[in-house]
Amino acid sequence: MAASAALALGLAGGAVTVSGDAQARPVPVRSVAASWGLALYGNLGFGRPSGGSRTLAGPVAGLTGVRQVAAGGLHSLALTSDGSVWAFGNNSVGQLGNGSTATSYVPVQVPGLTGITQIAAGGDFSLALASDGSVWAWGHDDDGQLGDDDADPLGYSTIPVQVRGLTGVTQIAAGLKFALALRSDGTVWAWGENGSGQLGNGTTNNSAVPVQVTGLSRVTQIAAGTDSAMAALTRGFITSLTTVWTWGANDVGQLGDRTLTSRSTPGQVSGIDVPGVRDISVGDEFSMVLGSDGSVWAWGADRDGQLGNAATETLWVGPVETIGKDSGIIQISAGYSHVLALRSDGTVLAWGDNSAGEIGNGTYSSTPSLPTEVTGLTGVTQVSAGLEFSLAMHNIRFIPASGL
């Protein structure tokens, strides 16, 4: 083997040691990215053109030191340990941020970004949060989703631009054509498309600059879907109580308020019986909450089994417990019509639509709507579901060839 080659020992999260004539030494661990599902325009990042899909998880080419992955419409993002951002896939409106509109089948670095702490991928735009609390955006800007006060129906930016007027941001989320930002003071700000009230400011007018979501404070988490949004809030001073609030489109019950009426300001979701909220996620027309007890609650469209409860109903207008407590699930990610769930042992469950192999079980069968384990993937630390494809960040153990 060449001096730069490495011998993979499998997928795992912990350190191991190897023994030999010399003193036993730890085997290095690398954090890499895996992808599966729809493979159009290079969004799986495995280095070659493909018009099909991949039903089993495989490696994203050339990425190590991965800290976060984000799946969008037909493009993907990765954040690495040095604070740089990498992108791959469709680039027709500059969503890769590398100054061009050329599709890339391998990760390319987004120039000019340093100290990035979080990334988010929308339908055809991208976001990055910097360590100084500023937010940067690139890609399509037809509805103001870049937040730089320059919305243009035919416009886009192939390089990052700063979102106007935002400071002290601690979390970001990207929907189809709108974005959210959580500030350190617990308030939420939104910009972009607003036809269904997904900006939460009491209007249905698009905004090319951030506007404050009405009536929310002490927010701890945010999530954005196609045209609806969610936030988790902490209430109470003596005993903290986490509540969930939603706003935006509600034509199939995705707001969980037991109506089919869209709402341009946040309203509280009732009926979620958990001691606390660990994670929230919003898909195309459905929403999910992960309780601190490991239970999963969901509502909205269920025609592809994306709620994970094997029910025959096509929609639920209020929360239903789809996975019981003590499941071991520690993170959820809702895609277009499928869901990924990370368990504490580093394995991944998936359910919902599988027409492009996004469940990752080696088939295209969409029959089972109950959670199914993603085949051959362990050591996972974070997952992200996009438009009919999936991404995961996981650890691999290896021995550098020079040490053999």
Side-chain angles (χ1 to χ4, degrees), residues 90-104:
N90 186 26
N91 196 28
S92 58
V93 286
Q95 53 266 60
L96 301 191
N98 66 336
S100 80
T101 55
T103 291
S104 181

Side-chain angles (χ1 to χ4, degrees), residues 24-404:
R25 60 193 183 278
V27 175
V29 175
R30 281 183 176 172
S31 184
V32 297
S35 61
W36 62 97
L38 187 68
L40 293 176
Y41 304 107
N43 55 299
L44 297 191
F46 55 87
R48 63 182 184 279
S50 174
S53 56
R54 182 160 65 183
T55 63
L56 294 172
V60 173
L63 281 181
T64 59
V66 178
R67 288 174 50 192
Q68 186 196 347
V69 290
L74 287 170
H75 76 290
S76 302
L77 303 176
L79 172 64
T80 54
S81 56
D82 62 358
S84 62
V85 179
W86 299 74
F88 45 100
N90 186 26
N91 196 28
S92 58
V93 286
Q95 53 266 60
L96 301 191
N98 66 336
S100 80
T101 55
T103 291
S104 181
Y105 299 94
V106 297
V108 293
Q109 187 170 357
V110 181
L113 293 180
T114 58
I116 301 302
T117 60
Q118 188 191 349
I119 51 174
D124 50 12
F125 74 104
S126 305
L127 298 175
L129 171 62
S131 57
D132 64 0
S134 62
V135 179
W136 299 77
W138 59 96
H140 213 178
D141 197 28
D142 55 334
D143 289 305
Q145 54 265 56
L146 299 192
D148 65 340
D149 199 18
D150 191 30
D152 183 340
L154 300 177
Y156 55 87
S157 177
T158 63
I159 58 173
V161 295
Q162 187 170 356
V163 176
R164 291 257 184 116
L166 277 182
T167 59
V169 175
T170 60
Q171 189 181 142
I172 52 175
L176 181 64
K177 289 189 173 186
F178 76 105
L180 302 176
L182 171 61
R183 295 182 60 183
S184 57
D185 62 2
T187 60
V188 179
W189 298 72
W191 62 96
E193 185 184 38
N194 196 29
S196 297
Q198 57 264 52
L199 299 191
N201 68 336
T203 78
T204 54
N205 301 320
N206 294 354
S207 180
V209 294
V211 293
Q212 187 171 355
V213 176
T214 301
L216 294 184
S217 61
R218 302 187 69 183
V219 175
T220 57
Q221 295 181 69
I222 53 175
T226 295
D227 47 14
S228 63
M230 189 191 309
L233 285 65
T234 300
R235 296 293 192 193
F237 294 94
I238 298 176
T239 301
S240 293
L241 173 67
T242 303
T243 58
V244 176
W245 297 66
T246 56
W247 62 96
N250 197 32
D251 51 311
V252 292
Q254 56 264 54
L255 297 190
D257 62 357
R258 293 177 171 79
T259 76
L260 296 176
T261 303
S262 298
R263 191 170 55 234
S264 61
T265 57
Q268 186 175 345
V269 179
S270 61
I272 303 174
D273 184 16
V274 295
V277 173
R278 179 160 191 162
D279 199 10
I280 59 176
S281 192
V282 183
D284 175 39
E285 295 179 324
F286 68 104
S287 307
M288 312 203 82
V289 168
L290 171 63
S292 57
D293 60 359
S295 63
V296 176
W297 299 72
W299 58 91
D302 197 23
R303 55 184 171 270
D304 292 310
Q306 56 265 57
L307 301 193
N309 61 344
T312 57
E313 288 83 354
T314 57
L315 63 89
W316 295 75
V317 295
V320 58
E321 185 179 20
T322 61
I323 298 176
K325 64 180 182 179
D326 301 323
S327 66
I329 294 173
I330 58 175
Q331 188 223 332
I332 52 174
S333 179
Y336 184 75
S337 55
H338 77 290
V339 177
L340 302 177
L342 171 63
R343 292 191 288 193
S344 57
D345 64 359
T347 60
V348 178
L349 298 175
W351 60 89
D353 182 41
N354 193 34
S355 58
E358 56 264 58
I359 300 301
N361 66 344
T363 77
Y364 294 104
S365 172
S366 294
T367 303
S369 60
L370 290 173
T372 302
E373 188 167 319
V374 176
T375 303
L377 193 60
T378 59
V380 178
T381 56
Q382 184 246 330
V383 292
S384 181
L387 175 65
E388 297 187 301
F389 74 101
S390 305
L391 298 176
M393 180 178 73
H394 67 107
N395 294 324
I396 61 170
R397 300 182 301 213
F398 73 104
I399 299 177
S402 59
L404 292 178

